[in-house]
Amino acid sequence: MNALTGLKLVASKKNRTLSPVAHRRNKLVNKLHEQIELCEAQKAGEIYAPRRLRTVTNKQTGERVTIEAVKRVKEWFWINDAGKINLAVRYGSKVLELAKGKSTIEVAAPTDLIPTLELIKKAVEAGELDTQIKTASIK
């Protein structure tokens, strides 16, 4: 018991549930991370194909089997008529309105796309887009 005397002991419970706001932030941060990985793979000339586990039922035997499948990741960015890259931040199937009437970010060069996504990720982690996420989740 002598080893524990130097430690500060407190009575505490672990919070098992995440607040809805934190859950939404984490969901968007994970999707932004996927977009960053997609951009990095395209920059390296590779195909980004993350894998996930899916449970399917065999139609002949009725047995449930877990298989590894490729997860489809859609790009949130495209090239506009002026040759610049447009980026729309999505929450589920909804595009977030980042400012009043504006939902797209224009990126001048392809090299600026990854830093822009990382900046958005930091803003989400800081809670700057909580109202937009909440609005999109209600719709």
Side-chain angles (χ1 to χ4, degrees):
M1 196 70 176
N2 290 336
L4 295 178
T5 56
L7 301 176
K8 181 180 179 181
L9 302 176
V10 294
S12 177
K13 280 185 152 181
K14 183 178 179 182
N15 190 0
R16 296 199 181 267
T17 59
L18 207 57
S19 72
V21 174
H23 178 70
R24 289 186 203 120
R25 276 187 204 158
N26 289 342
K27 184 177 173 183
L28 186 55
V29 165
N30 289 338
K31 295 297 180 183
L32 284 164
H33 180 71
E34 284 181 353
Q35 290 297 312
I36 292 169
E37 292 290 320
L38 177 66
C39 291
E40 289 174 349
Q42 287 180 350
K43 186 177 178 182
E46 299 171 356
I47 296 174
Y48 178 66
R51 300 197 167 272
R52 66 177 188 159
L53 296 176
R54 288 184 60 199
T55 304
V56 295
T57 304
N58 188 337
K59 291 186 179 183
Q60 287 89 14
T61 63
E63 180 184 359
R64 295 182 61 118
V65 180
T66 303
I67 61 168
E68 195 173 295
V70 175
K71 180 179 177 184
R72 188 177 82 181
V73 178
K74 290 184 178 181
E75 295 177 348
W76 289 358
F77 50 91
W78 65 93
I79 298 175
N80 65 11
D81 296 334
K84 297 191 178 185
I85 297 173
N86 285 352
L87 171 67
V89 180
R90 297 182 157 276
Y91 184 79
S93 63
K94 310 287 187 249
V95 176
L96 295 183
E97 188 174 282
L98 302 172
K100 184 73 174 169
K102 297 179 183 177
S103 60
T104 308
I105 300 167
E106 186 176 84
V107 182
T111 56
D112 296 335
L113 186 58
I114 294 174
T116 303
L117 286 167
E118 289 174 348
L119 181 69
I120 296 167
K121 186 177 172 182
K122 287 179 186 173
V124 170
E125 289 171 343
E128 295 178 23
L129 296 176
D130 284 348
T131 56
Q132 291 91 336
I133 295 170
K134 184 177 180 182
T135 304
S137 68
I138 292 171
K139 290 182 184 177

